[in-house]
Amino acid sequence: MMKSVTSKIRRLATALPCTLFALVPLLAVPGAAADAPKVGFVYVSPIGDAGWTYQHEQGRRALEKDLGIKTTAVEGVAEGADAERVMRDLATQGHTLIFATSFGYLEPALRVAADFPALKIEHAGGYKTAANLNTYNARFYEGRYLAGLLAGKSSRSGVAGYVAGFPLPEVVQGINAFTLGMRAVNPKARVVVIWLNAWYDPPREREAALTLINQGADVLTNHSGSPAVPQAAEEKGVKLIAYTSDMRRFAPTAQLAAVTHHWGGYYTRVTQAVGAGRWQPQPVWGGLKDGMVQLTAVHPSVDKRTRALLEQRRHDIVQGRFQPFSGRLVDNEGQVRQASGAMSDPAIATMNWFVDGVQGKLSK
């Protein structure tokens, strides 16, 4: 599994500098379209009550409400052959637009797209396009930087624990941005990472969280699919900055805030574009400015000065006055990765190293 992931990172590093990241304009949503396509969604885990798949499900429901249509969702679909089978089934059943919502769906989606030229596929987080396959993603690292600021202000030990899925650039971006945010307010802060090599594995997520707490972390965050990390934080009395969803129902005392994902507006606009014949395979990378990522549910205990800092930095990012990966950047092995300026999108998109302050390693 690790060898496969590492291979994907290398291919990503080769492909993305040639990829145009262009953001589709966020337009007002008109009424229901009579010619709306038949839309399907493929999810890598159960929908559940929170997490990555849950947020995509909220986007699907928003699409249905916005356009007054019914869509199809298939949950718990493993990456690989199973994903290809499900997408082929959806295409055969007459679906003309499919949202494939997991990184490992890319190659199966490309094969299905090639065999069904009238079908449009939108793949979450991918790095390859085709005439009828597009990719979309969000700058989750922008929200992660804000989360790091909050963690730095809130941690007494100066140690945060990070439960991470796979060592892909998107995950690495989040870890690095979180660390940079934390060290902006506490230069001695450390972020300890434990890899799961899985997106959704509640028992192992919990085990990793408990290990990090035992290693001194008094703030936890995660890039994994279940509420297990929030539940562990609540049980053990440490703080949490949740990811993908607001996890207050699982960690009402522990949660300081949540970095949340919002897909509804994008799903509605893509569906309208397909129905109107305006759809193009133009990769999308949204962020705080576009509402795809937000820092939400800030706990009432967070003081006014910290709230003001978070809002000011959020505003700076939205206005283009600040970029989390700017200035001098040194990795956790002492190598200078950037002397000055702001990192380019291709460099961010292929990030495969840890900033100073991260305790952990990436597979080469």
Side-chain angles (χ1 to χ4, degrees), residues 44-95:
V44 73
S45 66
I47 292 170
D49 298 318
W52 172 264
T53 291
Y54 178 83
Q55 292 304 121
H56 286 282
E57 173 67 5
Q58 300 315 296
R60 182 183 75 87
R61 293 181 183 183
L63 158 63
E64 290 189 332
K65 182 178 180 181
D66 287 342
L67 299 185
I69 63 174
K70 292 295 182 182
T71 65
T72 303
V74 186
E75 59 183 306
V77 179
E79 296 174 334
D82 198 31
E84 183 171 342
R85 176 189 59 79
V86 169
M87 283 186 270
R88 287 187 184 279
D89 286 347
L90 289 171
T92 301
Q93 293 165 17
H95 291 80

Side-chain angles (χ1 to χ4, degrees), residues 154-168:
S154 305
S155 174
R156 294 184 177 181
S157 69
V159 180
Y162 208 117
V163 179
F166 289 102
L168 302 174

